[in-house]
Amino acid sequence: MFDWMTIHKKLFNKLLFCKMRNLYSPLLRHFSQSSLPLHRNTNVQSAFCTQQNVQECLSHINQEVSSLGLPTVWVELDESSDLNVVTVLNCMYDLIQLHHRSLRTLENIEVEQLKSNSKLDYLQLSTTRLKEQLECSKRENTGLLERERQLQQKVKSLQNCLKNEKEEVQKLQNIIASRATQYNHDMKRKERDLNKLKERLNQLLADKKERKQAIDVLNNIGRADGKRSVWKTEKTEAKHEGEMYKALLSDYDARQRDLVLENAELRKVLQQMKNDMVSLLRLKKLTQNGVQNQCNGTQVEEDGFDPSKELFCVHACEKLTNSLRLQWRRLKSHVEQLDSQGIETVPRESHEEEMDKLKLEVQQCKDLIQTQQHLLQHQLNSSCDEIASLRNDGYMLQEKERLRGEWKTLEEQRSIFDRERKNFTEAAIRLSHERKAFEEDRATWLKHQFLSLSPCGDLKKPLLSDTTGASSTGVCLFLQRPPVDISTSFEICISTGGKNTQMPRSKPAYCGIKCH
Amino acid sequence: MNFSEVFKQSNQLCKVSPDGKYLATCVQYRLVIRDINTLQILNLYTCLDQISHMEWSSDSLFILCAMYKRGLVQVWSLEQPDWHCKIDEGSIGLVSSRWSPDGRHILNTTEFHLRITVWSLCTKAVSYIKYPKACQKGLDFSRDGCYMALAERRDCKDYVSIFVCDDWHLLRHFETETQDLSGLEWSPNGSVLAVWESCLEYKILLYSLDGRLLSTYSAYEWSLGVKSVSWSPSSQFLAIGSFDEKVRILNHITWKKVAQFEHPAVIDNTKATVYKEIEKRPTVTSDEMSLHNITVASSLFSTQSKYEISPLPVQIPVVKPDPDRANPKIGVSALAFSSDSRYVATKNDNMATAVWVWDMQKVRLEAVLEQTSSVRCFQWDPRRPRLALCTGNSKLYLWSPGGCVSVQVPAEGGFQVHSLNWHRSGDSLTLIGKDQLCLCYMDTEQDDK
């Protein structure tokens, strides 16, 4: 029952809230007014209930009322559609009570809402305020930290100062102490001297015999410079003064001379430097752009300065130094310019390259020297053993002789070979000529034979019987002809094993010859 | 290099005559004159008491022998051995005696510096100079012998008197701007007189010959000041060594500092060569320890040494001086220019084993010689840039721009070299020990390392 009631209450509240939202404005004042329009327009017929749908309305209202938890207004089973006025009035009263209650809760809720709103506002304000406070305090904190740091630094520096002062004080104390010891020492010494003096005085006063000073010389010796001594007079005094001043003056003279020489040297050097700088700047200006003509002009004007003259006046000296300073400034600016342009790096790079090259060269030379040294060492080592070398030499000579002999024989053989080849070729040429002649003869003979065909027929005997054993390759036809011409025409030299062998003349040898 | 035999001497009194021909030594109360080359005794004189001081006259004809205890000065003649001269100061006493530059007057300073008595040997006349100051170097003769500068103190004020040595005429007398004058020195050309204060204040005054103040130089205040002063032979530079271990060089034109040489304990970042003396102990094996060897000996007791070039950085041993004592052993106490004014040799007292050689042309350190014991004495060769030094052992050390060498003095029984003196020709050295003396003759060829 309780649970149902709470659920119901929740539902009721929800409904109420919805209704409130939908129908009523938050202000209570309007509530009663707004609540009325539904019922106020009694003049206008309510759209809800008409004559026709009374039953439905009733049932609907019943439903609604029951849902609200109130006893029903009308029992449906009852056929008479007459409403029980009492129940209806009770229902209405209950509804009104409900309504009042809901109004009250609405009030409460609104109050609470206001309260919470105001609380929220208050909290927001307080948070912003607190945030500001926090910011403030943070800033203060950093400020304080800064101050603390500064103070600490001050403290440190003051400590340093204090330390220095202490050291100085210590040093001064040491100095005072050493001075005090020195003073004491001196004082003691003086006191001792004084005491000795007093004693002496006493002794002298007491002493009856006073020993006087005396000199005992055998004879006077002459002065060192041989001259006679002079009386002291004003003249001598003046002379002494004069001599003294002379000595001083000569010393000053000498010093001045030295300084003048030095000055001249230095001036020369400065002049040279200035000239060098001028020429250098001029060159550089030419290589760049000759815009600054005025500088050139001034340079020319200064070149007229004659360095050979010894100028003692202050102006000339000043002029020289000023011009030198000017040139130097120019040179400096120029160099700075070059620096900024980056041209300076080139000579440095080339310089580095050159250095590398030179280093390489040096290394190579060193290697070469080393290898040469090694070789030299080897040679020396190898030629160290004299007997072995002599022996080696002997062997070498023998070998050489033998080889020389062989070379000679080879040369001879080669010359012989050449000769033979020459003869050979000549023979070959002759042979070809003779063959040709022979063939022509043959041809003519054949012709004759042919022309004179009938009488002699057994003359066709090969001439092969004359030829002995020699292989005649290629000789097609041998005719009966006296082979004297051919055989005597050439000699064939065949060399076998270094010996010239000659075929006998009588036998014509066709060995080795091919002829067509 | 040849060494003579060792002779006896007393009081470190051995001096070569100014003309370089004779050597005079004192043995107790005897004066011995030897020929410098043959070392043969030429003359022998006998004095009345033990000789405290001995000096040659400038013309090498006379020698004075002073006996301070007795207050006597005896003068001997070389040409006439039987000539005699005796000066008796009487009851007034004698603390110092010296020749005048002309070789005919003797200046005796009486006890307590009451006065200076000028005795003339030509006329037997006597002159007195009152109120001389008792200080480190209160009297100086100019190099040409014309003038004498004397520091005086009257009424608690310092004065300088300049006398003409001819007739002792007082040329100039002026007050100096010093609190307590400690020393004075003529420049070699005789035209400037340098006057310096005691070590309590760093102040050096330069006066011209006629008494005008040319310049004042003060490097710093309050700390201990000037310890040593030296003119360069050309008179161009004045070197001042001070207690702050620095040497300041002034130039003669402006009298302003042109260079400053410092002596740091760690030498680094310099082109100078540092020579370190290394002692080689001879190894003695058991079979060598025979009696013969031990008696023969000097080789066992004296060790050979040689110089080695130390690579940079080099640490020089420093001895901190006692802060409670006066005149502390710190600062540059010895300064010497070479004869051509090219080099300066310095010694810093708290690095007593090192000698520093500076090049004046390049104004930088040239060499440092680190010895095994404290350097006692060094002197430049009068003819060439060669420095000889000794440290109290039996060796002689020589430095030249070509290198340096350590030479053992061959003497029996050990000869400790305490000081040395060059002969004016630069060909020989006199080595003086505690009571012995030895001569060293140089060869013509230069030394090698």
Side-chain angles (χ1 to χ4, degrees), chain B residues 325-376:
Chain B
R325 291 197 61 158
N327 296 317
K329 278 204 173 303
I330 186 168
V332 180
S333 64
L335 277 176
F337 273 92
S338 67
S339 53
D340 53 1
S341 302
R342 172 95 190 258
Y343 296 104
V344 184
T346 63
K347 184 184 112 161
N348 188 4
D349 274 350
N350 56 339
M351 303 167 189
T353 57
V355 172
W356 306 61
V357 181
W358 307 82
D359 186 336
M360 280 306 292
Q361 248 183 25
K362 299 175 201 157
V363 197
R364 62 169 172 84
L365 184 62
E366 174 78 17
V368 178
L369 280 82
E370 197 187 321
Q371 309 292 125
T372 48
S373 42
S374 309
V375 174
R376 290 186 72 116

Short mmCIF file of all heavy atoms in Angstrom, two decimals, chain B residues 325-376:
data_model
loop_
_atom_site.label_atom_id
_atom_site.label_comp_id
_atom_site.label_asym_id
_atom_site.label_seq_id
_atom_site.Cartn_x
_atom_site.Cartn_y
_atom_site.Cartn_z
N ARG B 325 111.24 37.26 11.46
CA ARG B 325 112.60 37.82 11.46
C ARG B 325 112.68 39.03 10.54
O ARG B 325 111.98 39.09 9.52
CB ARG B 325 113.57 36.74 10.97
CG ARG B 325 113.71 35.62 11.98
CD ARG B 325 114.93 34.82 11.69
NE ARG B 325 116.11 35.66 11.78
CZ ARG B 325 117.30 35.19 11.98
NH1 ARG B 325 117.46 33.89 12.13
NH2 ARG B 325 118.34 35.96 12.02
N ALA B 326 113.55 39.93 10.89
CA ALA B 326 113.77 41.09 10.03
C ALA B 326 114.62 40.69 8.85
O ALA B 326 115.32 39.69 8.89
CB ALA B 326 114.46 42.18 10.82
N ASN B 327 114.55 41.48 7.80
CA ASN B 327 115.27 41.18 6.56
C ASN B 327 115.05 39.74 6.12
O ASN B 327 115.97 38.93 6.08
CB ASN B 327 116.78 41.43 6.73
CG ASN B 327 117.05 42.89 7.00
OD1 ASN B 327 116.46 43.76 6.38
ND2 ASN B 327 117.92 43.15 7.95
N PRO B 328 113.80 39.41 5.80
CA PRO B 328 113.49 38.01 5.48
C PRO B 328 114.19 37.56 4.20
O PRO B 328 114.51 38.37 3.32
CB PRO B 328 111.98 38.03 5.29
CG PRO B 328 111.64 39.43 4.98
CD PRO B 328 112.64 40.28 5.68
N LYS B 329 114.37 36.26 4.14
CA LYS B 329 115.07 35.68 2.99
C LYS B 329 114.08 35.48 1.85
O LYS B 329 113.71 34.36 1.48
CB LYS B 329 115.69 34.34 3.39
CG LYS B 329 117.01 34.53 4.10
CD LYS B 329 117.87 33.29 3.97
CE LYS B 329 119.24 33.47 4.52
NZ LYS B 329 120.00 34.55 3.92
N ILE B 330 113.64 36.60 1.32
CA ILE B 330 112.69 36.55 0.21
C ILE B 330 112.98 37.76 -0.65
O ILE B 330 113.42 38.79 -0.15
CB ILE B 330 111.22 36.55 0.73
CG1 ILE B 330 110.25 36.34 -0.42
CG2 ILE B 330 110.87 37.81 1.48
CD1 ILE B 330 108.83 36.06 0.03
N GLY B 331 112.80 37.64 -1.92
CA GLY B 331 113.03 38.78 -2.80
C GLY B 331 114.34 38.65 -3.55
O GLY B 331 115.17 37.76 -3.28
N VAL B 332 114.52 39.53 -4.51
CA VAL B 332 115.66 39.44 -5.41
C VAL B 332 116.84 40.16 -4.77
O VAL B 332 116.84 41.39 -4.65
CB VAL B 332 115.32 40.07 -6.77
CG1 VAL B 332 116.51 39.98 -7.70
CG2 VAL B 332 114.11 39.38 -7.37
N SER B 333 117.82 39.38 -4.34
CA SER B 333 118.94 39.98 -3.63
C SER B 333 120.15 40.18 -4.51
O SER B 333 121.04 40.93 -4.18
CB SER B 333 119.34 39.09 -2.46
OG SER B 333 119.79 37.85 -2.97
N ALA B 334 120.22 39.46 -5.62
CA ALA B 334 121.40 39.57 -6.48
C ALA B 334 120.95 39.83 -7.91
O ALA B 334 120.09 39.15 -8.44
CB ALA B 334 122.21 38.28 -6.40
N LEU B 335 121.56 40.85 -8.48
CA LEU B 335 121.25 41.26 -9.85
C LEU B 335 122.55 41.53 -10.55
O LEU B 335 123.41 42.19 -9.99
CB LEU B 335 120.52 42.60 -9.85
CG LEU B 335 119.03 42.70 -9.62
CD1 LEU B 335 118.67 44.18 -9.59
CD2 LEU B 335 118.28 42.05 -10.74
N ALA B 336 122.68 41.07 -11.77
CA ALA B 336 123.89 41.41 -12.50
C ALA B 336 123.59 41.47 -13.98
O ALA B 336 122.94 40.60 -14.53
CB ALA B 336 124.98 40.36 -12.21
N PHE B 337 124.10 42.54 -14.61
CA PHE B 337 123.99 42.66 -16.06
C PHE B 337 125.24 42.06 -16.68
O PHE B 337 126.34 42.18 -16.14
CB PHE B 337 123.92 44.14 -16.45
CG PHE B 337 122.54 44.71 -16.43
CD1 PHE B 337 122.05 45.32 -15.28
CD2 PHE B 337 121.72 44.66 -17.54
CE1 PHE B 337 120.78 45.85 -15.24
CE2 PHE B 337 120.45 45.21 -17.52
CZ PHE B 337 119.97 45.81 -16.37
N SER B 338 125.07 41.48 -17.86
CA SER B 338 126.26 41.03 -18.58
C SER B 338 126.93 42.25 -19.19
O SER B 338 126.34 43.32 -19.26
CB SER B 338 125.87 40.02 -19.66
OG SER B 338 125.12 40.67 -20.66
N SER B 339 128.16 42.09 -19.62
CA SER B 339 128.96 43.24 -20.05
C SER B 339 128.39 43.92 -21.29
O SER B 339 128.63 45.11 -21.51
CB SER B 339 130.39 42.80 -20.33
OG SER B 339 130.35 41.72 -21.24
N ASP B 340 127.63 43.18 -22.12
CA ASP B 340 127.04 43.81 -23.30
C ASP B 340 125.62 44.27 -23.03
O ASP B 340 124.89 44.61 -23.95
CB ASP B 340 127.07 42.82 -24.47
CG ASP B 340 126.44 41.48 -24.11
OD1 ASP B 340 125.98 41.33 -22.97
OD2 ASP B 340 126.44 40.59 -24.97
N SER B 341 125.21 44.25 -21.79
CA SER B 341 123.85 44.63 -21.35
C SER B 341 122.77 43.78 -21.96
O SER B 341 121.60 44.15 -21.93
CB SER B 341 123.55 46.10 -21.70
OG SER B 341 124.47 46.95 -21.12
N ARG B 342 123.16 42.65 -22.51
CA ARG B 342 122.17 41.80 -23.16
C ARG B 342 121.41 40.93 -22.16
O ARG B 342 120.22 40.68 -22.32
CB ARG B 342 122.89 40.93 -24.19
CG ARG B 342 122.05 39.87 -24.82
CD ARG B 342 121.46 40.29 -26.14
NE ARG B 342 120.48 39.29 -26.57
CZ ARG B 342 120.71 38.37 -27.50
NH1 ARG B 342 121.87 38.33 -28.10
NH2 ARG B 342 119.77 37.50 -27.81
N TYR B 343 122.12 40.45 -21.15
CA TYR B 343 121.50 39.52 -20.22
C TYR B 343 121.52 40.07 -18.80
O TYR B 343 122.39 40.85 -18.43
CB TYR B 343 122.24 38.18 -20.22
CG TYR B 343 122.18 37.47 -21.54
CD1 TYR B 343 123.27 37.46 -22.38
CD2 TYR B 343 121.02 36.81 -21.95
CE1 TYR B 343 123.22 36.81 -23.59
CE2 TYR B 343 120.96 36.15 -23.16
CZ TYR B 343 122.07 36.16 -23.99
OH TYR B 343 122.02 35.52 -25.18
N VAL B 344 120.53 39.63 -18.03
CA VAL B 344 120.50 39.96 -16.60
C VAL B 344 120.38 38.64 -15.85
O VAL B 344 119.53 37.83 -16.19
CB VAL B 344 119.27 40.83 -16.23
CG1 VAL B 344 119.33 41.23 -14.78
CG2 VAL B 344 119.19 42.05 -17.11
N ALA B 345 121.22 38.48 -14.85
CA ALA B 345 121.11 37.29 -14.01
C ALA B 345 120.54 37.71 -12.66
O ALA B 345 120.97 38.72 -12.10
CB ALA B 345 122.49 36.66 -13.82
N THR B 346 119.57 36.97 -12.17
CA THR B 346 118.93 37.33 -10.90
C THR B 346 118.85 36.11 -10.00
O THR B 346 118.84 34.97 -10.46
CB THR B 346 117.50 37.85 -11.11
OG1 THR B 346 116.70 36.82 -11.67
CG2 THR B 346 117.48 39.05 -12.02
N LYS B 347 118.77 36.40 -8.72
CA LYS B 347 118.59 35.33 -7.75
C LYS B 347 117.51 35.77 -6.76
O LYS B 347 117.59 36.87 -6.19
CB LYS B 347 119.89 35.05 -7.01
CG LYS B 347 119.78 33.86 -6.07
CD LYS B 347 121.03 33.65 -5.30
CE LYS B 347 120.79 33.96 -3.83
NZ LYS B 347 121.77 33.40 -2.93
N ASN B 348 116.53 34.88 -6.60
CA ASN B 348 115.44 35.17 -5.68
C ASN B 348 115.73 34.39 -4.39
O ASN B 348 115.96 33.19 -4.44
CB ASN B 348 114.14 34.69 -6.33
CG ASN B 348 112.92 35.12 -5.54
OD1 ASN B 348 113.03 35.83 -4.55
ND2 ASN B 348 111.77 34.68 -5.99
N ASP B 349 115.72 35.10 -3.26
CA ASP B 349 116.20 34.48 -2.03
C ASP B 349 115.38 33.32 -1.52
O ASP B 349 115.91 32.48 -0.80
CB ASP B 349 116.32 35.53 -0.93
CG ASP B 349 117.65 36.23 -0.99
OD1 ASP B 349 118.51 35.75 -1.76
OD2 ASP B 349 117.82 37.22 -0.29
N ASN B 350 114.09 33.28 -1.82
CA ASN B 350 113.35 32.13 -1.34
C ASN B 350 113.40 30.97 -2.35
O ASN B 350 112.81 29.93 -2.12
CB ASN B 350 111.91 32.50 -0.96
CG ASN B 350 111.17 33.15 -2.10
OD1 ASN B 350 111.78 33.67 -3.01
ND2 ASN B 350 109.86 33.13 -2.04
N MET B 351 114.06 31.18 -3.48
CA MET B 351 114.35 30.07 -4.40
C MET B 351 115.86 30.11 -4.60
O MET B 351 116.35 30.38 -5.69
CB MET B 351 113.66 30.28 -5.73
CG MET B 351 112.17 30.44 -5.61
SD MET B 351 111.55 31.05 -7.17
CE MET B 351 109.88 31.40 -6.72
N ALA B 352 116.58 29.90 -3.50
CA ALA B 352 118.01 30.19 -3.51
C ALA B 352 118.80 29.25 -4.38
O ALA B 352 119.97 29.51 -4.67
CB ALA B 352 118.55 30.15 -2.08
N THR B 353 118.21 28.14 -4.82
CA THR B 353 118.98 27.20 -5.63
C THR B 353 118.90 27.54 -7.11
O THR B 353 119.51 26.87 -7.92
CB THR B 353 118.45 25.77 -5.44
OG1 THR B 353 117.05 25.76 -5.77
CG2 THR B 353 118.63 25.30 -4.01
N ALA B 354 118.14 28.55 -7.45
CA ALA B 354 117.94 28.82 -8.88
C ALA B 354 118.54 30.17 -9.25
O ALA B 354 118.45 31.13 -8.49
CB ALA B 354 116.45 28.80 -9.22
N VAL B 355 119.15 30.22 -10.41
CA VAL B 355 119.62 31.48 -11.00
C VAL B 355 118.81 31.68 -12.28
O VAL B 355 118.70 30.78 -13.09
CB VAL B 355 121.13 31.42 -11.32
CG1 VAL B 355 121.55 32.64 -12.10
CG2 VAL B 355 121.94 31.31 -10.06
N TRP B 356 118.26 32.86 -12.41
CA TRP B 356 117.42 33.14 -13.57
C TRP B 356 118.18 34.06 -14.50
O TRP B 356 118.72 35.09 -14.04
CB TRP B 356 116.14 33.84 -13.14
CG TRP B 356 115.37 33.12 -12.07
CD1 TRP B 356 115.79 32.80 -10.81
CD2 TRP B 356 114.03 32.64 -12.17
NE1 TRP B 356 114.81 32.14 -10.12
CE2 TRP B 356 113.71 32.04 -10.93
CE3 TRP B 356 113.07 32.66 -13.17
CZ2 TRP B 356 112.48 31.47 -10.69
CZ3 TRP B 356 111.83 32.09 -12.91
CH2 TRP B 356 111.54 31.50 -11.68
N VAL B 357 118.22 33.74 -15.78
CA VAL B 357 118.91 34.58 -16.76
C VAL B 357 117.86 35.14 -17.71
O VAL B 357 117.08 34.39 -18.30
CB VAL B 357 119.95 33.77 -17.55
CG1 VAL B 357 120.67 34.67 -18.53
CG2 VAL B 357 120.96 33.14 -16.60
N TRP B 358 117.81 36.46 -17.82
CA TRP B 358 116.82 37.14 -18.64
C TRP B 358 117.51 37.79 -19.83
O TRP B 358 118.61 38.31 -19.70
CB TRP B 358 116.10 38.22 -17.83
CG TRP B 358 115.55 37.72 -16.54
CD1 TRP B 358 116.23 37.55 -15.36
CD2 TRP B 358 114.21 37.29 -16.28
NE1 TRP B 358 115.39 37.05 -14.39
CE2 TRP B 358 114.15 36.90 -14.93
CE3 TRP B 358 113.06 37.22 -17.07
CZ2 TRP B 358 112.97 36.42 -14.35
CZ3 TRP B 358 111.91 36.76 -16.48
CH2 TRP B 358 111.86 36.36 -15.14
N ASP B 359 116.81 37.77 -20.96
CA ASP B 359 117.33 38.40 -22.17
C ASP B 359 116.72 39.80 -22.27
O ASP B 359 115.50 39.94 -22.30
CB ASP B 359 116.93 37.53 -23.37
CG ASP B 359 117.54 38.01 -24.66
OD1 ASP B 359 117.89 39.21 -24.76
OD2 ASP B 359 117.66 37.21 -25.58
N MET B 360 117.55 40.81 -22.29
CA MET B 360 117.03 42.18 -22.32
C MET B 360 116.57 42.57 -23.71
O MET B 360 115.71 43.43 -23.87
CB MET B 360 118.11 43.18 -21.87
CG MET B 360 118.28 43.29 -20.40
SD MET B 360 116.77 43.66 -19.54
CE MET B 360 116.46 45.31 -20.10
N GLN B 361 117.13 41.94 -24.74
CA GLN B 361 116.71 42.27 -26.11
C GLN B 361 115.28 41.83 -26.35
O GLN B 361 114.47 42.54 -26.91
CB GLN B 361 117.63 41.56 -27.09
CG GLN B 361 118.49 42.50 -27.86
CD GLN B 361 119.34 41.77 -28.86
OE1 GLN B 361 119.01 40.69 -29.31
NE2 GLN B 361 120.44 42.37 -29.21
N LYS B 362 114.98 40.60 -25.96
CA LYS B 362 113.65 40.07 -26.19
C LYS B 362 112.74 40.29 -24.99
O LYS B 362 111.56 39.99 -25.04
CB LYS B 362 113.73 38.57 -26.49
CG LYS B 362 114.53 38.28 -27.73
CD LYS B 362 114.69 36.79 -27.93
CE LYS B 362 115.87 36.48 -28.83
NZ LYS B 362 116.38 35.13 -28.61
N VAL B 363 113.32 40.79 -23.90
CA VAL B 363 112.59 41.05 -22.65
C VAL B 363 111.83 39.82 -22.19
O VAL B 363 110.62 39.86 -21.98
CB VAL B 363 111.65 42.28 -22.80
CG1 VAL B 363 111.24 42.79 -21.44
CG2 VAL B 363 112.34 43.40 -23.54
N ARG B 364 112.53 38.73 -22.10
CA ARG B 364 111.89 37.53 -21.57
C ARG B 364 112.94 36.63 -20.92
O ARG B 364 114.13 36.88 -21.03
CB ARG B 364 111.16 36.77 -22.67
CG ARG B 364 112.04 36.27 -23.78
CD ARG B 364 111.27 35.30 -24.66
NE ARG B 364 112.03 34.95 -25.84
CZ ARG B 364 112.94 33.99 -25.88
NH1 ARG B 364 113.23 33.31 -24.80
NH2 ARG B 364 113.58 33.72 -27.00
N LEU B 365 112.43 35.60 -20.27
CA LEU B 365 113.32 34.67 -19.59
C LEU B 365 114.10 33.86 -20.61
O LEU B 365 113.54 33.35 -21.56
CB LEU B 365 112.48 33.75 -18.69
CG LEU B 365 113.22 32.76 -17.81
CD1 LEU B 365 114.11 33.48 -16.82
CD2 LEU B 365 112.23 31.90 -17.06
N GLU B 366 115.38 33.78 -20.40
CA GLU B 366 116.23 33.05 -21.32
C GLU B 366 116.55 31.66 -20.79
O GLU B 366 116.46 30.68 -21.51
CB GLU B 366 117.53 33.83 -21.54
CG GLU B 366 118.56 33.14 -22.37
CD GLU B 366 118.26 33.18 -23.85
OE1 GLU B 366 117.44 34.02 -24.26
OE2 GLU B 366 118.82 32.36 -24.58
N ALA B 367 116.95 31.58 -19.53
CA ALA B 367 117.30 30.28 -18.96
C ALA B 367 117.15 30.31 -17.46
O ALA B 367 117.21 31.37 -16.85
CB ALA B 367 118.73 29.91 -19.33
N VAL B 368 116.94 29.15 -16.89
CA VAL B 368 116.90 29.01 -15.44
C VAL B 368 117.86 27.89 -15.10
O VAL B 368 117.79 26.82 -15.70
CB VAL B 368 115.49 28.67 -14.93
CG1 VAL B 368 115.51 28.49 -13.43
CG2 VAL B 368 114.51 29.76 -15.30
N LEU B 369 118.74 28.14 -14.16
CA LEU B 369 119.67 27.09 -13.74
C LEU B 369 119.27 26.67 -12.34
O LEU B 369 119.30 27.49 -11.41
CB LEU B 369 121.11 27.62 -13.73
CG LEU B 369 121.81 27.67 -15.07
CD1 LEU B 369 121.42 28.91 -15.82
CD2 LEU B 369 123.30 27.65 -14.87
N GLU B 370 118.88 25.42 -12.23
CA GLU B 370 118.47 24.92 -10.92
C GLU B 370 119.60 24.06 -10.37
O GLU B 370 119.97 23.05 -10.96
CB GLU B 370 117.19 24.10 -11.07
CG GLU B 370 116.47 23.88 -9.76
CD GLU B 370 115.30 22.94 -9.88
OE1 GLU B 370 114.61 23.03 -10.91
OE2 GLU B 370 115.09 22.14 -8.98
N GLN B 371 120.15 24.49 -9.26
CA GLN B 371 121.28 23.78 -8.67
C GLN B 371 120.82 22.89 -7.53
O GLN B 371 119.70 22.98 -7.08
CB GLN B 371 122.31 24.79 -8.14
CG GLN B 371 122.71 25.85 -9.12
CD GLN B 371 123.49 25.27 -10.27
OE1 GLN B 371 123.13 25.44 -11.42
NE2 GLN B 371 124.54 24.57 -9.96
N THR B 372 121.74 22.04 -7.07
CA THR B 372 121.39 21.14 -5.99
C THR B 372 121.47 21.83 -4.64
O THR B 372 120.84 21.40 -3.69
CB THR B 372 122.33 19.92 -5.97
OG1 THR B 372 123.66 20.42 -6.07
CG2 THR B 372 122.03 19.00 -7.13
N SER B 373 122.23 22.91 -4.53
CA SER B 373 122.25 23.64 -3.26
C SER B 373 122.21 25.13 -3.55
O SER B 373 122.27 25.55 -4.70
CB SER B 373 123.49 23.26 -2.45
OG SER B 373 124.61 23.19 -3.26
N SER B 374 122.11 25.92 -2.50
CA SER B 374 121.92 27.36 -2.69
C SER B 374 123.09 27.98 -3.43
O SER B 374 124.24 27.70 -3.15
CB SER B 374 121.80 28.07 -1.33
OG SER B 374 120.86 27.44 -0.54
N VAL B 375 122.73 28.88 -4.32
CA VAL B 375 123.76 29.58 -5.08
C VAL B 375 124.38 30.63 -4.19
O VAL B 375 123.69 31.44 -3.57
CB VAL B 375 123.12 30.24 -6.33
CG1 VAL B 375 124.14 31.09 -7.05
CG2 VAL B 375 122.57 29.17 -7.25
N ARG B 376 125.71 30.63 -4.14
CA ARG B 376 126.38 31.57 -3.25
C ARG B 376 126.82 32.83 -3.98
O ARG B 376 126.76 33.92 -3.44
CB ARG B 376 127.58 30.91 -2.59
CG ARG B 376 127.20 29.86 -1.60
CD ARG B 376 128.41 29.34 -0.90
NE ARG B 376 128.92 30.35 0.02
CZ ARG B 376 128.95 30.20 1.33
NH1 ARG B 376 128.52 29.09 1.87
NH2 ARG B 376 129.44 31.14 2.10
#
